[in-house]
PDB file of all heavy atoms in Angstrom:
ATOM      1  N   MET A   1     -44.733   5.300  11.636  1.00  0.00           N
ATOM      2  CA  MET A   1     -44.154   4.049  12.171  1.00  0.00           C
ATOM      3  C   MET A   1     -43.746   3.101  11.047  1.00  0.00           C
ATOM      4  O   MET A   1     -42.674   2.545  11.044  1.00  0.00           O
ATOM      5  CB  MET A   1     -45.171   3.327  13.067  1.00  0.00           C
ATOM      6  CG  MET A   1     -45.176   3.731  14.524  1.00  0.00           C
ATOM      7  SD  MET A   1     -43.560   3.885  15.274  1.00  0.00           S
ATOM      8  CE  MET A   1     -43.246   2.199  15.786  1.00  0.00           C
ATOM      9  N   LYS A   2     -44.693   3.031  10.079  1.00  0.00           N
ATOM     10  CA  LYS A   2     -44.449   2.118   8.970  1.00  0.00           C
ATOM     11  C   LYS A   2     -43.178   2.537   8.205  1.00  0.00           C
ATOM     12  O   LYS A   2     -42.327   1.720   7.877  1.00  0.00           O
ATOM     13  CB  LYS A   2     -45.655   2.113   8.036  1.00  0.00           C
ATOM     14  CG  LYS A   2     -45.646   0.909   7.123  1.00  0.00           C
ATOM     15  CD  LYS A   2     -46.963   0.679   6.469  1.00  0.00           C
ATOM     16  CE  LYS A   2     -46.868  -0.581   5.624  1.00  0.00           C
ATOM     17  NZ  LYS A   2     -47.894  -0.596   4.621  1.00  0.00           N
ATOM     18  N   LYS A   3     -43.082   3.868   7.991  1.00  0.00           N
ATOM     19  CA  LYS A   3     -41.931   4.405   7.258  1.00  0.00           C
ATOM     20  C   LYS A   3     -40.614   4.028   7.975  1.00  0.00           C
ATOM     21  O   LYS A   3     -39.652   3.592   7.369  1.00  0.00           O
ATOM     22  CB  LYS A   3     -42.064   5.921   7.168  1.00  0.00           C
ATOM     23  CG  LYS A   3     -41.277   6.496   6.032  1.00  0.00           C
ATOM     24  CD  LYS A   3     -41.581   7.953   5.856  1.00  0.00           C
ATOM     25  CE  LYS A   3     -40.496   8.587   5.012  1.00  0.00           C
ATOM     26  NZ  LYS A   3     -40.460  10.016   5.223  1.00  0.00           N
ATOM     27  N   ASN A   4     -40.664   4.181   9.318  1.00  0.00           N
ATOM     28  CA  ASN A   4     -39.467   3.857  10.108  1.00  0.00           C
ATOM     29  C   ASN A   4     -39.054   2.408   9.933  1.00  0.00           C
ATOM     30  O   ASN A   4     -37.890   2.103   9.777  1.00  0.00           O
ATOM     31  CB  ASN A   4     -39.728   4.109  11.603  1.00  0.00           C
ATOM     32  CG  ASN A   4     -39.516   5.573  11.919  1.00  0.00           C
ATOM     33  OD1 ASN A   4     -38.959   6.293  11.098  1.00  0.00           O
ATOM     34  ND2 ASN A   4     -39.975   6.000  13.079  1.00  0.00           N
ATOM     35  N   SER A   5     -40.076   1.522   9.982  1.00  0.00           N
ATOM     36  CA  SER A   5     -39.700   0.109   9.904  1.00  0.00           C
ATOM     37  C   SER A   5     -39.165  -0.228   8.515  1.00  0.00           C
ATOM     38  O   SER A   5     -38.297  -1.069   8.368  1.00  0.00           O
ATOM     39  CB  SER A   5     -40.868  -0.798  10.301  1.00  0.00           C
ATOM     40  OG  SER A   5     -41.963  -0.518   9.487  1.00  0.00           O
ATOM     41  N   VAL A   6     -39.704   0.476   7.485  1.00  0.00           N
ATOM     42  CA  VAL A   6     -39.187   0.229   6.130  1.00  0.00           C
ATOM     43  C   VAL A   6     -37.722   0.663   6.057  1.00  0.00           C
ATOM     44  O   VAL A   6     -36.863  -0.059   5.582  1.00  0.00           O
ATOM     45  CB  VAL A   6     -40.039   0.975   5.070  1.00  0.00           C
ATOM     46  CG1 VAL A   6     -39.327   0.951   3.712  1.00  0.00           C
ATOM     47  CG2 VAL A   6     -41.398   0.315   4.948  1.00  0.00           C
ATOM     48  N   SER A   7     -37.423   1.851   6.597  1.00  0.00           N
ATOM     49  CA  SER A   7     -36.033   2.309   6.487  1.00  0.00           C
ATOM     50  C   SER A   7     -35.111   1.472   7.376  1.00  0.00           C
ATOM     51  O   SER A   7     -33.964   1.230   7.037  1.00  0.00           O
ATOM     52  CB  SER A   7     -35.917   3.808   6.800  1.00  0.00           C
ATOM     53  OG  SER A   7     -36.332   4.025   8.118  1.00  0.00           O
ATOM     54  N   LEU A   8     -35.660   0.992   8.516  1.00  0.00           N
ATOM     55  CA  LEU A   8     -34.857   0.115   9.377  1.00  0.00           C
ATOM     56  C   LEU A   8     -34.523  -1.174   8.624  1.00  0.00           C
ATOM     57  O   LEU A   8     -33.388  -1.643   8.611  1.00  0.00           O
ATOM     58  CB  LEU A   8     -35.624  -0.204  10.668  1.00  0.00           C
ATOM     59  CG  LEU A   8     -34.894  -1.107  11.648  1.00  0.00           C
ATOM     60  CD1 LEU A   8     -33.684  -0.378  12.223  1.00  0.00           C
ATOM     61  CD2 LEU A   8     -35.808  -1.554  12.781  1.00  0.00           C
ATOM     62  N   LEU A   9     -35.566  -1.702   7.937  1.00  0.00           N
ATOM     63  CA  LEU A   9     -35.379  -2.933   7.178  1.00  0.00           C
ATOM     64  C   LEU A   9     -34.332  -2.708   6.082  1.00  0.00           C
ATOM     65  O   LEU A   9     -33.418  -3.506   5.889  1.00  0.00           O
ATOM     66  CB  LEU A   9     -36.715  -3.362   6.555  1.00  0.00           C
ATOM     67  CG  LEU A   9     -36.687  -4.676   5.775  1.00  0.00           C
ATOM     68  CD1 LEU A   9     -36.397  -5.820   6.731  1.00  0.00           C
ATOM     69  CD2 LEU A   9     -37.985  -4.926   5.052  1.00  0.00           C
ATOM     70  N   PHE A  10     -34.448  -1.559   5.402  1.00  0.00           N
ATOM     71  CA  PHE A  10     -33.499  -1.250   4.332  1.00  0.00           C
ATOM     72  C   PHE A  10     -32.069  -1.188   4.895  1.00  0.00           C
ATOM     73  O   PHE A  10     -31.132  -1.705   4.313  1.00  0.00           O
ATOM     74  CB  PHE A  10     -33.867   0.083   3.666  1.00  0.00           C
ATOM     75  CG  PHE A  10     -32.960   0.411   2.523  1.00  0.00           C
ATOM     76  CD1 PHE A  10     -33.072  -0.275   1.324  1.00  0.00           C
ATOM     77  CD2 PHE A  10     -31.975   1.372   2.652  1.00  0.00           C
ATOM     78  CE1 PHE A  10     -32.225   0.002   0.275  1.00  0.00           C
ATOM     79  CE2 PHE A  10     -31.112   1.651   1.604  1.00  0.00           C
ATOM     80  CZ  PHE A  10     -31.242   0.968   0.408  1.00  0.00           C
ATOM     81  N   GLY A  11     -31.971  -0.568   6.084  1.00  0.00           N
ATOM     82  CA  GLY A  11     -30.669  -0.481   6.748  1.00  0.00           C
ATOM     83  C   GLY A  11     -30.102  -1.860   7.024  1.00  0.00           C
ATOM     84  O   GLY A  11     -28.933  -2.125   6.769  1.00  0.00           O
ATOM     85  N   LEU A  12     -30.960  -2.749   7.506  1.00  0.00           N
ATOM     86  CA  LEU A  12     -30.505  -4.112   7.821  1.00  0.00           C
ATOM     87  C   LEU A  12     -30.063  -4.847   6.560  1.00  0.00           C
ATOM     88  O   LEU A  12     -29.055  -5.537   6.556  1.00  0.00           O
ATOM     89  CB  LEU A  12     -31.627  -4.895   8.517  1.00  0.00           C
ATOM     90  CG  LEU A  12     -31.901  -4.485   9.962  1.00  0.00           C
ATOM     91  CD1 LEU A  12     -33.116  -5.220  10.493  1.00  0.00           C
ATOM     92  CD2 LEU A  12     -30.680  -4.770  10.840  1.00  0.00           C
ATOM     93  N   ILE A  13     -30.840  -4.644   5.470  1.00  0.00           N
ATOM     94  CA  ILE A  13     -30.484  -5.316   4.213  1.00  0.00           C
ATOM     95  C   ILE A  13     -29.135  -4.806   3.719  1.00  0.00           C
ATOM     96  O   ILE A  13     -28.255  -5.574   3.353  1.00  0.00           O
ATOM     97  CB  ILE A  13     -31.575  -5.097   3.135  1.00  0.00           C
ATOM     98  CG1 ILE A  13     -32.821  -5.884   3.517  1.00  0.00           C
ATOM     99  CG2 ILE A  13     -31.086  -5.551   1.762  1.00  0.00           C
ATOM    100  CD1 ILE A  13     -34.031  -5.588   2.672  1.00  0.00           C
ATOM    101  N   SER A  14     -28.930  -3.480   3.756  1.00  0.00           N
ATOM    102  CA  SER A  14     -27.657  -2.979   3.233  1.00  0.00           C
ATOM    103  C   SER A  14     -26.502  -3.399   4.127  1.00  0.00           C
ATOM    104  O   SER A  14     -25.403  -3.648   3.657  1.00  0.00           O
ATOM    105  CB  SER A  14     -27.694  -1.463   3.015  1.00  0.00           C
ATOM    106  OG  SER A  14     -28.099  -0.826   4.181  1.00  0.00           O
ATOM    107  N   MET A  15     -26.750  -3.526   5.440  1.00  0.00           N
ATOM    108  CA  MET A  15     -25.686  -4.019   6.313  1.00  0.00           C
ATOM    109  C   MET A  15     -25.333  -5.462   5.970  1.00  0.00           C
ATOM    110  O   MET A  15     -24.162  -5.834   5.947  1.00  0.00           O
ATOM    111  CB  MET A  15     -26.109  -3.943   7.783  1.00  0.00           C
ATOM    112  CG  MET A  15     -25.736  -2.625   8.438  1.00  0.00           C
ATOM    113  SD  MET A  15     -26.496  -2.462  10.041  1.00  0.00           S
ATOM    114  CE  MET A  15     -25.652  -3.738  10.943  1.00  0.00           C
ATOM    115  N   ALA A  16     -26.396  -6.245   5.683  1.00  0.00           N
ATOM    116  CA  ALA A  16     -26.162  -7.646   5.343  1.00  0.00           C
ATOM    117  C   ALA A  16     -25.359  -7.735   4.047  1.00  0.00           C
ATOM    118  O   ALA A  16     -24.443  -8.537   3.923  1.00  0.00           O
ATOM    119  CB  ALA A  16     -27.500  -8.367   5.195  1.00  0.00           C
ATOM    120  N   LEU A  17     -25.699  -6.861   3.072  1.00  0.00           N
ATOM    121  CA  LEU A  17     -24.976  -6.867   1.797  1.00  0.00           C
ATOM    122  C   LEU A  17     -23.513  -6.505   2.021  1.00  0.00           C
ATOM    123  O   LEU A  17     -22.617  -7.088   1.452  1.00  0.00           O
ATOM    124  CB  LEU A  17     -25.611  -5.861   0.823  1.00  0.00           C
ATOM    125  CG  LEU A  17     -26.921  -6.310   0.197  1.00  0.00           C
ATOM    126  CD1 LEU A  17     -27.516  -5.183  -0.631  1.00  0.00           C
ATOM    127  CD2 LEU A  17     -26.705  -7.543  -0.682  1.00  0.00           C
TER     128      LEU A  17
END
Side-chain angles (χ1 to χ4, degrees):
M1 272 315 274
K2 197 165 182 201
K3 202 172 163 201
N4 277 347
S5 57
V6 168
S7 62
L8 180 68
L9 183 65
F10 183 74
L12 287 174
I13 290 171
S14 53
M15 270 170 67
L17 284 174

